[in-house]
Amino acid sequence: MAQFFSEASRTFSEYLLLPNLTTKDCIPENVILRTPLVKFKVGHQLPSLEVNIPFASAIMQAVSDHNLAIALARQGGISFIYGSQSIEEQAAMVRTVKNHKAGFVVSDSNVKCDNTIADVVKLTEETGHSTIAVTEDGSPSGELFGLITDKDYRLSRVDLNAEVSEFMTPFPELIVGQKGITIEAANDLIWKHKINCLPIVDENRKLVHLVFRKDYDDHKKNPLESVDSQKRLIVGAGINTRDYKERVPALVAAGADIICVDSSEGYTEWQSDTIQFIKDKYGDAVKVGGGNVVHGDAFMYLVEAGADFIKVGIGGGAICITREQKGIGCGQATAVIEVARQRDQYLQETGVYVPICSDGGIFQDYHIGLALAMGADFVMMGRYFARFDESPSKLRKLGMNTVKEYWGEGTKRAANWQRYHEGGGPELLFEEGADAYVPYAGKMNDNLKTTLAKIRSLLCNCGAISLPEFRQKARFVLVSSASIREGGVHDIIPRTTQDG
């Protein structure tokens, strides 16, 4: 007969951490959030790939493109570029991240001379970029004809059908740098000529990069950048279990630091075959994560196939409806606890530590801390990052609110049937995700700073200044529905901005 588990599967909201003694060295400035991404033999080697903050962005069209990957790597995390696109397009995104140099930006807002001011306004609204390159063919690498900014025209007095060429600063009037210039020399030109943007061109006047004054300060503010041995930003990429034999070589050639098999449920022979193909072809040179799983048996299956990390979680994402549609999954807290228990047992038996990634089930910032205390080495988030300027989805007005579009990889909109295939044909018979909106939250850096401050403070409350110490010392208590209510605002009349 069927096997039944008497213990209920639980969510992060059902737990709280108990404080430990906070010693005088437990201050946020001393907290180190560095964490491994891939397996390693404890006491014999260091992890070959780490991040300085335990955050990864989800493998989703609405979340992880090259722009967010650059922004998150500069803050110390990592993005996994979504795989539900052509091999060529995904490889190009990976290549863009790897070719990015601190301060040197590939222009992704471009127009032609005969575009209209209306086109510029629309592009600015969609991207938030106020400086736009004018190139011969409207591409980021075309011959540079000029720059146009939001200071070059006044919407109240301009004909929106007027051409860009009438308002742009033409090339002869621009201060430019030549390809090969150092970031120090580029910044010197910016400060010397009191300009906000310095285009970098090659010998044929083709645009190579843009350097912005604001990025100088940003670079100084980002000492935790996630970089490889050549000081390039690190980036991951998602793959499916269908076209991996063609996709993986292209991503490796583009410079992807790590691959992750993207599946709503990873305890399958298709995923084992995919991971084994990568390991047979590349050995340890290419790192690959597997998942998603919710129990120890599935963890062991993928580890034995060769996975370098394991992703945990089925049906817990804000946009995921797998549990509703199929009745399969597990509360995220229980899933992390169970997989972490199996991971620790595997460590005792082999001496090999396999990182686990908690994917889904995070609705509040403090849930991140709970996931890390329960055994996750890093968390993967979609909704969290989809809210920011850096995500690829569009801004919309919804009534009086500003929102960003957000849709799951299990929707027909994503057209990502490969992620959900079970040996059948190329079609998505039912959806496992929703198409929705998330409240717009502005720039990622501002929000991430607050979230990280909460996590560092939580570690200090638990008497820890590193994630391994945090997991070792963590003490949990289950909370009742009444205590959850007690922990929030209650029995008051909240003050509003209208009260003065």
Side-chain angles (χ1 to χ4, degrees), residues 250-374:
L251 295 173
V252 171
D257 297 277
I258 188 167
I259 305 295
C260 184
V261 186
D262 184 30
S263 174
S264 64
E265 199 280 296
Y267 192 16
T268 72
E269 291 184 339
W270 294 291
Q271 185 149 156
S272 177
D273 289 346
T274 303
I275 294 170
Q276 289 185 44
F277 166 82
I278 295 172
K279 290 303 179 180
D280 289 344
K281 184 175 179 64
Y282 298 101
D284 202 41
V286 173
K287 306 299 183 181
V288 56
N292 283 20
V293 305
V294 291
H295 55 74
D297 292 345
F299 168 88
M300 286 303 305
Y301 183 75
L302 295 181
V303 168
E304 289 170 356
D308 292 290
F309 76 88
I310 302 296
K311 198 143 66 78
V312 179
I314 295 176
I319 210 75
C320 183
I321 56 173
T322 293
R323 296 181 196 173
E324 296 177 24
Q325 292 283 56
K326 299 197 296 189
I328 191 169
C330 182
Q332 188 66 11
T334 296
V336 171
I337 292 167
E338 289 301 313
V339 174
R341 182 178 290 122
Q342 183 63 60
R343 185 266 311 280
D344 292 346
Q345 181 178 331
Y346 183 76
L347 170 62
Q348 289 181 353
E349 294 172 353
T350 66
V352 176
Y353 186 87
V354 181
I356 61 176
C357 168
S358 177
D359 177 19
I362 291 171
F363 309 118
Q364 303 287 342
D365 282 355
Y366 82 90
H367 291 163
I368 301 171
L370 296 186
L372 296 171
M374 289 174 178

Side-chain angles (χ1 to χ4, degrees), residues 3-261:
Q3 183 178 6
F4 291 86
F5 294 87
S6 57
E7 183 69 28
S9 78
R10 300 188 180 278
T11 68
F12 294 132
S13 294
E14 295 178 82
Y15 289 94
L16 286 174
L17 281 158
L18 295 176
N20 293 320
L21 174 66
T22 301
T23 58
K24 291 180 181 179
D25 66 326
C26 288
I27 57 175
E29 290 78 8
N30 289 342
V31 171
I32 297 173
L33 296 177
R34 186 180 304 115
T35 193
L37 288 179
V38 297
K39 64 186 178 186
F40 62 99
K41 195 166 184 63
V42 176
H44 294 271
Q45 60 183 158
L46 295 174
S48 61
L49 195 58
E50 296 179 292
V51 285
N52 287 315
I53 63 171
F55 286 13
S57 66
I59 309 170
M60 300 175 68
Q61 292 176 5
V63 180
S64 296
D65 70 348
H66 54 289
N67 290 315
L68 191 129
I70 290 169
L72 184 52
R74 293 187 68 188
Q75 291 297 307
I78 186 171
S79 291
F80 286 82
I81 302 293
Y82 66 92
S84 50
Q85 59 180 321
S86 73
I87 295 173
E88 294 74 21
E89 289 172 326
Q90 188 185 22
M93 286 189 180
V94 169
R95 197 172 295 110
T96 296
V97 180
K98 298 306 295 184
N99 289 339
H100 178 88
K101 299 179 181 178
F104 292 97
V105 179
V106 175
S107 179
D108 54 5
S109 292
N110 310 283
V111 293
K112 297 185 293 184
C113 288
D114 59 359
N115 279 119
T116 65
I117 295 299
D119 296 327
V120 172
V121 172
K122 181 181 178 182
L123 189 57
T124 298
E125 290 176 347
E126 290 178 350
T127 64
H129 299 158
S130 59
T131 299
I132 296 173
V134 184
T135 60
E136 179 184 22
D137 55 2
S139 76
S141 57
E143 183 180 351
L144 183 64
F145 284 177
L147 292 179
I148 185 166
T149 75
D150 58 359
K151 295 181 176 62
D152 292 324
Y153 56 87
R154 294 176 62 181
L155 286 177
S156 60
R157 298 188 180 183
V158 70
D159 178 2
L160 291 179
N161 292 317
E163 292 188 352
V164 167
S165 58
E166 298 178 37
F167 295 86
M168 70 182 187
T169 302
F171 184 85
E173 298 178 21
L174 292 174
I175 304 298
V176 300
Q178 295 299 312
K179 182 180 179 180
I181 190 173
T182 64
I183 190 62
E184 292 80 7
N187 284 320
D188 287 344
L189 283 175
I190 287 174
W191 290 101
K192 176 181 178 181
H193 295 281
K194 300 179 181 179
I195 56 178
N196 291 317
C197 177
L198 178 75
I200 308 298
V201 298
D202 65 14
E203 62 277 8
N204 298 314
R205 217 174 81 176
K206 290 185 180 294
L207 182 62
V208 179
H209 290 111
L210 298 176
V211 180
F212 292 93
R213 177 192 290 259
K214 64 180 178 63
D215 284 342
Y216 175 83
D217 294 329
D218 287 345
H219 181 57
K220 296 298 182 183
K221 295 176 182 176
N222 297 327
L224 297 178
E225 285 184 331
S226 298
V227 295
D228 62 19
S229 59
Q230 300 177 49
K231 303 300 182 184
R232 301 176 302 174
L233 298 179
I234 67 170
V235 62
I239 62 171
N240 60 64
T241 58
R242 286 277 184 158
D243 63 6
Y244 58 90
K245 292 182 180 179
E246 296 77 37
R247 189 174 292 269
V248 171
L251 295 173
V252 171
D257 297 277
I258 188 167
I259 305 295
C260 184
V261 186

